[in-house]
Amino acid sequence: MSTEVLPPVAPEVLADAVEQLSARLRKKLDAAIADCAARAAPGADGSVDVPFGEDAVVTLRPGPSGTVTEAAQAVCTCLLAPRCLHRAAVLGAAPIADGGEAESGEPHGEPAQGGDGGGDQVPAMSPVSGMAVGSGGGRTELAAAAATASAVSAGAAGTGGSGGSGGAVGSRGVPGGVGGAAGEGPAPVLTVAQVRAASALWDASAEALSAGVTAGGAVVQAELLRAAHTARLAGLPRAEAAALRVVRGLRAARERSNGQRLGELAGAFRELLAGAALLASGSAGAVAAGTSRRAYEQGGSLRVYGLCREPVLSATGYGGVATHLLGAEGSFFSVSDVRPGGLARAKGAGSASVALGGAVLDHAGLARGGLRIVGATVSADGRLGAGRGVSATPVRGVDWSEEPVAALFARPVREAMVSALGDGTDGSGGSGADPSGAALLGCDVEVVGAVGDHLVVRVVDRGPVLRLRPAHPHPELPHAANLRRIAEHPGLVVRVLGRPDPERAATFRPLAVGPVPGASCTLRLPEEWLGRADLGYDRLQGSHFPSAAERPGPVGPPVADGPDPLADAPLWRVRRLLETGVAGGRRAVAEAGRGTDTAALVAPLRRAGLGGAARLAEALTAEADRRPRDAFGRLTDASADGYARAWLASAVHLAAAERSLVVASWS
């Protein structure tokens, strides 16, 4: 179903439209949505008309931001309007707008004021434990697991700023910040409105998980959108964003979109449930609540040096560039330019001007140059702001062999990898929308060759064997083509800068490459490139590689992948069970755990020493099949709360186990 003609719709507008339908019309809603987008036609005044037969036409008139933000902007000509099926179907077929964009129409990345739910601080009842949590704030068992999940899922996001390994500014999403970092005292207790909103979001999320993709139609999505809107009003923008990701994932899965992976939707559910559980416990702090817009603080005077550029592509239609910088003391920073425009803007923004303190530079120049900034403003994720008092002067860039950049490549690769995964992202998930958050890692590698869709390399000085995969797989971006070109030169020694992939064993996503100082068989880059090539913008040519006479002889036996502890472990059985629940809902998990299927699931886990995973999987299947009824056959406990708790516990354990195996694969 194409939705290109229909404008984005604010979540609360869709939720209200579905709520107004009668029970009979709600049953027909999914079928009515199916072909709405195909009938949509743009009007002369910027409106969009969707006809339904001869007597009904739904008209959407988006506001100045291009988004339908009010109920009055969606009208139908039928007699039942606005409580009609036609209007709800068209709103359900339209893309879902981000909450902050729908309200203000301003791009993300501007200075934030933060959100505050208001109200008094009182003990809260956690929906995931049934235990009261006082204002002193001891965590319930599952709330503590939720905090672990937030830390564990940090690398799964793909959205990201610059986690810094060396400074106060530039570290993002530090796991200890969820619920209060060590040494900072107890986290502030949430307000009544925030706890209630988080509890409602937990309930809606649990029902959506219990329904799964097969039964997670427009009505289930609308309930989740209403809970997400309530969370935003209460000052929980991070929870709202997680809910919107789940709804978009449900839509894509039901439409069988080519870009949708069931594993990504399972990860989105895990992050949503973990965040809601932590917030509903009443013990979460400001980091877990998030802010509606990015907040900037004074950073004083800075001297930063360009590292590389990275194209930014978002599943919601945003595109642009993020230029990564390194401070004189080793902290990571970034300057980003991300706006609506998708792929075309991502490709063109690499040479766009940098809007920072009057600096006369474009992103290509900044990636190989530097800036001296006076009155800098810096966000918590290391992003540099462009306020009125900021003044920036271009300075000479440094080669990767010069300090402070050279220190990135001198650090042991395993130590750097653990730091990068620990400091990485905020767990917001997603889709490559904003890559500026994960800490970067540098190392020198020797090319072994191509295996399948990736490049096999070995870290020099007897380091581990790594798999290089494109940071952005889009065919119109040069990441994949550049890696294929490098794979044609076995024995080549290359300096790479990028991020470790937290979901794959010994896998690296390079952003830029350069020659290794002193190596005879290495890259020959033009002088104006200042010793590095941005894989997302620069295209490597034959002249950039050593000649055949300079290449070493055969490097050994045919290329083969190194060991993959993640693929060899039977944890895939747990992953499949969790994804089965996301796809088919609670009923599918119950069916998967009946009879001999349970033994086939848990026996390999126990043989491999994964007793915890086996026990949690058994508990999940048992809870999914637990449907107590009274003497008349009626359900005595129709709540999905217990099932959601069991699913989340297994998902958190799986994420932690897989992360441990990924870290071990870099040894």
Side-chain angles (χ1 to χ4, degrees):
M1 178 177 66
S2 174
T3 59
E4 294 181 356
V5 177
L6 295 173
V9 173
E12 62 271 21
V13 175
L14 172 57
D16 287 338
V18 175
E19 186 179 22
Q20 294 179 31
L21 295 179
S22 65
R24 179 179 63 86
L25 293 179
R26 289 189 181 194
K27 295 178 181 179
K28 300 180 179 181
L29 182 56
D30 289 326
I33 288 175
D35 59 346
C36 284
R39 296 200 302 267
D45 58 349
S47 63
V48 177
D49 296 330
V50 183
F52 287 85
E54 298 179 356
D55 301 326
V57 177
V58 177
T59 302
L60 302 182
R61 293 187 175 88
S65 65
T67 300
V68 176
T69 58
E70 300 177 3
Q73 295 174 342
V75 297
C76 181
T77 59
C78 76
L79 296 178
L80 292 179
R83 302 173 181 269
C84 63
L85 180 64
H86 313 121
R87 179 173 175 271
V90 173
L91 292 174
I96 300 173
D98 289 333
E101 294 170 1
E103 182 173 285
S104 66
E106 296 178 354
H108 293 291
E110 297 300 320
Q113 300 300 323
D116 185 5
D120 299 323
Q121 297 176 349
V122 298
M125 185 68 69
S126 168
V128 296
S129 66
M131 298 173 58
V133 180
S135 60
R139 290 180 184 168
T140 66
E141 181 179 353
L142 193 59
T148 303
S150 298
V152 165
S153 62
T159 66
S162 13
S165 59
V169 240
S171 62
R172 180 182 190 183
V174 179
V178 182
E184 295 181 358
V189 180
L190 299 180
T191 64
V192 174
Q194 289 175 319
V195 171
R196 288 175 178 170
S199 299
L201 185 59
W202 167 270
D203 292 338
S205 305
E207 292 296 336
L209 178 66
S210 181
V213 172
T214 54
V219 175
V220 172
Q221 295 171 24
E223 292 299 323
L224 193 50
L225 290 175
R226 176 169 294 283
H229 178 61
T230 303
R232 176 163 66 93
L233 294 180
L236 302 175
R238 175 168 291 183
E240 181 214 16
L244 293 184
R245 283 194 295 273
V246 168
V247 173
R248 291 190 180 105
L250 285 172
R251 284 189 167 194
R254 289 176 64 84
E255 296 166 9
R256 299 183 179 181
S257 170
N258 293 332
Q260 174 62 30
R261 292 171 50 203
L262 197 58
E264 293 177 354
L265 181 55
F269 263 114
R270 184 187 70 237
E271 292 173 8
L272 172 59
L273 290 168
L278 182 59
L279 292 168
S281 71
S283 60
V287 173
T291 55
S292 57
R293 298 171 67 198
R294 182 170 284 105
Y296 288 80
E297 298 180 355
Q298 292 297 322
S301 297
L302 297 174
R303 193 180 186 96
V304 295
Y305 302 98
L307 292 174
C308 63
R309 295 170 293 168
E310 179 179 7
V312 177
L313 274 177
S314 165
T316 55
Y318 281 73
V321 62
T323 298
H324 300 282
L325 309 165
L326 189 68
E329 297 180 355
S331 301
F332 288 104
F333 300 92
S334 66
V335 175
S336 64
D337 182 5
V338 182
R339 300 181 185 180
L343 177 64
R345 193 168 195 289
K347 294 169 66 176
S351 56
S353 298
V354 175
L356 181 65
V360 187
L361 274 177
D362 57 16
H363 281 272
L366 179 58
R368 295 181 171 91
L371 288 175
R372 184 172 62 248
I373 307 174
V374 178
T377 57
V378 187
S379 69
D381 58 5
R383 187 164 307 180
L384 298 175
R388 293 181 180 178
V390 178
S391 175
T393 304
V395 297
R396 185 188 74 85
V398 297
D399 189 88
W400 281 1
S401 60
E402 303 177 47
E403 295 295 345
V405 183
L408 291 178
F409 303 95
R411 193 176 186 184
V413 65
R414 176 178 168 81
E415 176 186 331
M417 176 267 181
V418 172
S419 176
L421 289 183
D423 293 343
T425 60
D426 63 353
S428 59
S431 52
D434 181 4
S436 55
L440 300 182
L441 181 155
C443 59
D444 296 341
V445 300
E446 180 182 3
V447 176
V448 178
V451 176
D453 60 348
H454 58 271
L455 171 63
V456 177
V457 299
R458 181 182 296 277
V459 178
V460 297
D461 295 332
R462 300 181 181 180
V465 174
L466 304 180
R467 303 168 181 87
L468 301 190
R469 292 181 180 270
H472 293 276
H474 198 287
E476 294 193 37
L477 294 175
H479 287 280
N482 282 329
L483 288 185
R484 286 194 298 268
R485 175 76 75 165
I486 295 174
E488 298 171 357
H489 299 80
L492 183 73
V493 181
V494 184
R495 178 161 283 186
V496 294
L497 180 71
R499 299 188 187 89
D501 189 330
E503 296 181 343
R504 296 176 184 267
T507 300
F508 192 66
R509 305 277 183 174
L511 301 179
V513 296
V516 175
S520 58
C521 183
T522 189
L523 293 174
R524 309 282 196 265
L525 299 181
E527 291 185 6
E528 59 270 19
W529 286 14
L530 201 62
R532 82 281 311 259
D534 297 329
L535 296 180
Y537 289 103
D538 302 322
R539 291 188 179 272
L540 296 175
Q541 307 295 332
S543 60
H544 298 153
F545 294 90
S547 63
E550 297 175 298
R551 300 176 194 170
V555 294
V559 180
D561 257 336
D564 190 342
L566 191 58
D568 297 338
L571 288 172
W572 63 268
R573 299 175 184 273
V574 180
R575 190 184 315 112
R576 185 173 64 180
L577 179 66
L578 296 174
E579 292 178 0
T580 296
V582 171
R586 178 174 186 165
R587 180 177 299 179
V589 174
E591 291 290 341
R594 288 174 183 161
T596 59
D597 291 340
T598 302
L601 170 66
V602 300
L605 293 172
R606 289 200 171 99
R607 284 197 301 268
L610 300 170
R615 289 191 297 272
L616 290 172
E618 282 183 315
L620 174 58
T621 55
E623 180 62 33
D625 203 26
R626 189 185 67 84
R627 305 286 281 176
R629 298 179 182 273
D630 59 16
F632 299 98
R634 296 171 299 191
L635 285 173
T636 58
D637 182 11
S639 171
D641 180 82
Y643 170 73
R645 282 187 282 129
W647 188 95
L648 176 59
S650 188
V652 169
H653 184 277
L654 174 65
E658 290 183 333
R659 177 60 61 87
S660 297
L661 291 175
V662 168
V663 172
S665 69
W666 283 70
S667 298

